[in-house]
Amino acid sequence: MIRRRTALSALALPALIGRAQAQAFPDQPVRLIVPFAAGGPADLIARTIGRVMGERLGKPVIIEARAGAGGLIGVDYVAKARPDGHTLVLASSGGMVILPHLQPNMPYDPRTDLSPITQVLAVPQIISIAPGLGPRNLAELVAMAKARPGELAYGSAGIGSSLHLAGELFKLRAGIDITHIPFRGAAPAVTELLAGRIQIVLADVPALIGQVRGGQLPALAITSPQRLAILPDLPTAEEAGVPGLVSETWYGVLGPAHLPADRVAILSAALQAALQDPETRRVLLDQGGRIVASNPDEFASFIRSAYTSWGEVVRATGMRLE
């Protein structure tokens, strides 16, 4: 009987150790890598969710910027990190589902080299036009573009940016020919739109909402699946007559591939708690987006679908980064 009890205890020991290790996670601060410069939208989102996330985990969440290459450097850093759950990244749509189709030598595969945890926020683009251009709605803008092929220009935050891809998707879905003018960020594009030197901008809500609310720029539609609460009178592009024109800059938290499922669950639960916090929600919704709060499986499925969809847009336009 003593030998039998000893044998059973020996068999149970690994399971007990495993449970103890799971309960101990995290046993050190969690680093949340932001692959963009400090002070930008991604940095604000990371610091906002990190506060409650750290409270839930019982360890501080340290925000660390590793900017460069449109977000690729920070994502690659986490893809190659130890898969213990203590190093995460707040990745965006650019580095996950757009740039992989444009970069000839990607350092990671977003579908296999990372562990999706939670998609946090999706920010659509406002379709705005220069003051005095004339169209009163999206259908009239499409009609103008078809009557003047190649004459109207739209600005973006640079070649390969989510705003560039949104413009190309607009061209494809509306069947129009408009000229792309890249700028070094959304702000210069908006400045040129205000001056009337370009005719169209599709920019994330925060970049345009001040001028739209102030009456300086006409807004014709929003590229989200549903209308936004902060712009309830602005129709979606689909409502305005361009089916399939859905484009959002999204942000989500991921870890390295092969992150243990129990740790993914713990991290996802902490993020879900953060996204239910009233102050967190207020700050995120002020960014002009919608809170997604998906679970790991939903986020993984979304990444695969978005990767395929944006790849089709890139191939249709033939764009490439030099």
Side-chain angles (χ1 to χ4, degrees):
M1 180 65 73
I2 293 173
R3 287 196 193 97
R4 187 168 180 269
R5 286 177 179 171
T6 303
L8 288 172
S9 297
L11 289 172
L13 187 58
L16 290 171
I17 292 173
R19 283 198 294 271
Q21 288 174 338
Q23 290 168 355
F25 173 78
D27 58 6
Q28 57 185 278
V30 173
R31 289 193 299 159
L32 181 55
I33 305 300
V34 176
F36 301 99
D43 182 63
L44 174 63
I45 293 166
R47 294 183 187 281
T48 301
I49 63 175
R51 177 182 61 85
V52 178
M53 190 179 175
E55 293 172 0
R56 178 65 180 260
L57 293 172
K59 294 291 181 182
V61 174
I62 299 171
I63 310 304
E64 181 179 325
R66 286 183 176 265
L72 299 189
I73 289 175
V75 178
D76 185 50
Y77 176 81
V78 173
K80 293 177 171 57
R82 182 180 176 184
D84 61 7
H86 292 101
T87 305
L88 310 174
V89 64
L90 181 73
S92 72
S93 47
M96 292 295 295
V97 298
I98 294 177
L99 289 176
H101 299 289
L102 297 169
Q103 290 282 0
N105 297 302
M106 275 291 293
Y108 59 87
D109 187 327
R111 298 163 296 178
T112 59
D113 294 342
L114 295 150
S115 296
I117 298 171
T118 298
Q119 187 184 0
V120 174
L121 188 71
V123 182
Q125 288 88 42
I126 294 174
I127 305 175
S128 183
I129 58 174
L133 185 63
R136 295 163 296 176
N137 54 52
L138 194 59
E140 290 184 2
L141 176 63
V142 170
M144 175 183 284
K146 287 182 175 180
R148 298 163 54 183
E151 291 184 25
L152 303 183
Y154 79 94
S156 82
I159 295 173
S161 67
S162 58
L163 308 190
H164 179 197
L165 270 291
E168 293 302 308
L169 183 63
F170 180 32
K171 290 168 62 174
L172 286 172
R173 296 292 184 259
I176 57 176
D177 176 17
I178 54 178
T179 301
H180 174 227
I181 307 293
F183 294 92
R184 300 176 74 88
V190 173
T191 298
E192 293 299 287
L193 185 69
L194 284 163
R197 288 186 283 268
I198 57 174
Q199 290 74 46
I200 306 165
V201 161
L202 288 81
D204 289 353
V205 173
L208 279 170
I209 193 167
Q211 291 86 349
V212 169
R213 282 177 166 168
Q216 298 155 290
L217 286 173
L220 304 185
I222 190 95
T223 63
S224 53
Q226 302 90 27
R227 295 192 186 199
L228 291 186
I230 61 172
L231 292 167
D233 296 328
L234 188 62
T236 68
E238 292 199 337
E239 289 176 328
V242 184
L245 180 50
V246 177
S247 171
E248 295 174 301
T249 299
W250 54 262
Y251 302 88
V253 176
L254 306 97
H258 311 301
L259 191 58
D262 57 348
R263 299 194 173 193
V264 169
I266 291 169
L267 292 166
S268 182
L271 275 162
Q272 298 293 340
L275 295 174
Q276 292 301 318
D277 175 70
E279 178 61 16
T280 300
R281 293 181 66 85
R282 184 193 66 77
V283 174
L284 294 181
L285 292 173
D286 281 349
Q287 293 300 298
R290 58 187 181 91
I291 295 171
V292 181
S294 57
N295 64 42
D297 289 340
E298 291 168 339
F299 191 19
S301 177
F302 172 80
I303 289 170
R304 290 192 296 269
S305 175
Y307 184 95
T308 299
S309 298
W310 285 114
E312 292 171 355
V313 174
V314 170
R315 287 189 292 275
T317 59
M319 72 176 74
R320 284 290 183 271
L321 291 180
E322 297 297 333

